Amino acid sequence: MKNLATLTNLKGKKVIVRVDFNVPLKEGKIRDDNRIVAALPTLQFLIKQGARLILLSHLGKISHKEPAKVEDEKKKNNLQVVAVRLGELLKQVVVFSPDTKGPGLQTLVNGLKDGQVLLVQNTRYEVGEEKNDATLAQAWAQLADAFVMDAFGSAHRAHASTFGIPELLKKQGKPVAIGFLVEKEVKSLAKVVQVNPSDRPYVAIMGGFKVSDKIKVIDQLLAKCDYVLIGGAMTYTFLKAQGKAIGTSPFEADQLDYARGVIAKAKGKLIFADDYVVSDAFDNPTKIETHEGEIRGAMMGMDIGPKTIAKFTKIILQAKTIFWNGPMGVFEKPQFTKGTEAVCQAVRTLGKKAFTVCGGGDSAAAVAQFGYMNDFSHVSTGGGASLEMIENAGHLPGIDVILG
Ligand code: ADP
Ligand code: MG
């Protein structure tokens, strides 16, 4: 595996590190610096070797197709605050380049000393970033002697900074590698992509909002798993597809055929809820009840019910491998956390008896919010990327370009 251990003689070498500093901001301040903290081991390793670091990251979205918005979005998604925070965490000065390319950036790169760190402004300021523009990739690649990919959350995108640069450097015979963060993701997710007979039963738990977002994931998991438990809002599309009443619950009319098809071919692997916590309104509900089998009247499903929790828990406790994506209910509201927390609790009870992975932005947020981060073998840092890893049998463009 082309990991950091394969990079040698780094002293004085200029190394581009693609990091994921796409942190949540509020009024220009960093709301959660987890992603910066998560990059530290790789950065500290490279600093210790005397490398000169050029860090690239995107931050938020810049709608280049709508020019009227661009200036505002650039102001909103300015990476400079991250340079300040990174400096505090590394306990050394982090130089910031307001220029994303050209002579200004080149001068700062030339001025780097061994072990120094330069953070470049948001890669998405460049219109060519998301198009993997060859000229842009070349402008960045020529700055460096080596490249490290440590932005797992961006590895499913073949952009100039995640794909173009390593592709060029590799062609030039220059070393490329994955960082510690990506290495852990790759190793952990590989265990839920390819499961040995001795690591079964393999139980997947699917929830979240939309069936349509997760079709490929569900198909892949049905092929690999012994059981696929279905909770969350996607439940109602499956219920409706079976001709059952769902009250005012959300469902996807254009996914009913798909849902019927999945049920027909799943042959008992698919496990649905038997009861539901329902309410009369999404916001400020005045009536909360538990309904069994169907959802009656003008009520909407908000969480799985107690019988379902017991059934799901029993199956989870027999597992040797777990992949979980998607909350079981509207966990952001205190009345509807129980289903999602019960999954966390079952994983805690399993402890080391199983290899347990949580992937997905909101699912990982729920695990953190309820205080179960240390109970999982792995909580993925990449929402979309972890799902695409499952969909594509372990392959992502930003990782394949390095390891392939
Ligand atoms: P992830 O980011 O982990 O892949 P999703 O984005 O698919 O998960 O779904 C997360 C969202 O699904 C959460 O905001 C949660 O409130 C919502 N959700 C879960 N269950 C329900 C439900 N029964 N009704 C409405 N929304 C739900
Ligand atoms: Mg989500």
Side-chain angles (χ1 to χ4, degrees), residues 90-390:
L90 284 174
K91 300 188 179 70
Q92 72 179 61
V93 171
V94 170
V95 183
F96 180 72
S97 172
D99 294 329
T100 38
K101 64 171 190 235
L105 173 58
Q106 187 68 59
T107 304
L108 291 175
V109 169
N110 294 345
L112 279 174
K113 298 196 173 66
D114 296 0
Q116 279 194 335
V117 178
L118 169 73
L119 174 64
V120 180
Q121 182 59 283
N122 188 355
T123 53
R124 288 194 181 164
Y125 275 32
E126 290 289 340
V127 63
E129 159 73 332
E130 295 191 55
K131 297 178 185 159
N132 187 19
D133 178 78
T135 318
L136 179 62
Q138 170 59 29
W140 281 334
Q142 61 83 31
L143 295 170
D145 305 304
F147 177 86
V148 172
M149 174 59 172
D150 214 18
F152 183 71
S154 303
H156 56 315
R157 298 185 172 122
H159 292 172
S161 69
T162 56
F163 192 89
I165 302 173
E167 194 185 34
L168 274 170
L169 289 178
K170 238 173 113 174
K171 275 192 199 139
Q172 295 163 10
K174 292 181 178 158
V176 297
I178 55 173
F180 291 130
L181 203 68
V182 168
E183 186 177 359
K184 179 167 190 276
E185 293 278 1
V186 168
K187 284 186 174 159
S188 299
L189 290 166
K191 292 193 193 176
V192 290
V193 168
Q194 197 83 46
V195 181
N196 299 322
S198 59
D199 297 328
R200 292 182 178 279
Y202 178 10
V203 176
I205 308 145
M206 289 296 296
F209 200 63
K210 282 187 183 168
V211 176
S212 54
D213 286 344
K214 310 271 172 84
I215 286 180
K216 281 199 212 149
V217 182
I218 297 172
D219 286 346
Q220 283 290 329
L221 291 173
L222 276 175
K224 292 183 210 295
C225 293
D226 300 292
Y227 297 105
V228 179
L229 316 182
I230 303 276
M234 66 163 71
T235 305
Y236 316 119
T237 300
F238 282 102
L239 263 184
K240 180 102 180 160
Q242 298 169 80
K244 294 191 177 153
I246 60 166
T248 55
S249 309
F251 75 102
E252 290 176 278
D254 55 351
Q255 299 301 330
L256 295 174
D257 283 340
Y258 168 79
R260 278 187 281 264
V262 168
I263 294 168
K265 76 173 182 218
K267 298 190 201 83
K269 279 189 182 181
L270 264 183
I271 313 286
F272 291 110
D274 298 321
D275 58 350
Y276 316 90
V277 176
V278 304
S279 73
D280 59 342
F282 189 82
D283 292 311
N284 311 315
T286 55
K287 243 177 27 187
I288 296 176
E289 301 169 356
T290 301
H291 286 192
E292 266 188 63
E294 294 188 307
I295 298 173
R296 300 176 304 277
M299 301 291 275
M300 66 175 73
M302 298 292 279
D303 196 5
I304 53 174
K307 285 196 175 157
T308 307
I309 287 178
K311 176 166 89 170
F312 282 10
T313 299
K314 205 169 154 203
I315 298 170
I316 292 170
L317 290 182
Q318 287 160 14
K320 287 239 179 74
T321 303
I322 298 267
F323 178 73
W324 176 27
N325 165 262
M328 297 290 98
V330 186
F331 75 96
E332 298 92 339
K333 297 181 186 286
Q335 306 96 316
F336 310 109
T337 57
K338 288 198 183 75
T340 305
E341 240 188 305
V343 172
C344 293
Q345 188 54 49
V347 167
R348 175 175 286 175
T349 308
L350 261 179
K352 299 250 180 301
K353 283 192 247 140
F355 189 78
T356 52
V357 176
C358 172
D362 294 291
S363 323
V367 170
Q369 184 184 317
F370 299 142
Y372 289 84
M373 277 308 247
N374 296 327
D375 295 293
F376 285 77
S377 310
H378 183 65
V379 178
S380 179
T381 55
S386 58
L387 291 188
E388 281 199 31
M389 194 94 167
I390 303 276

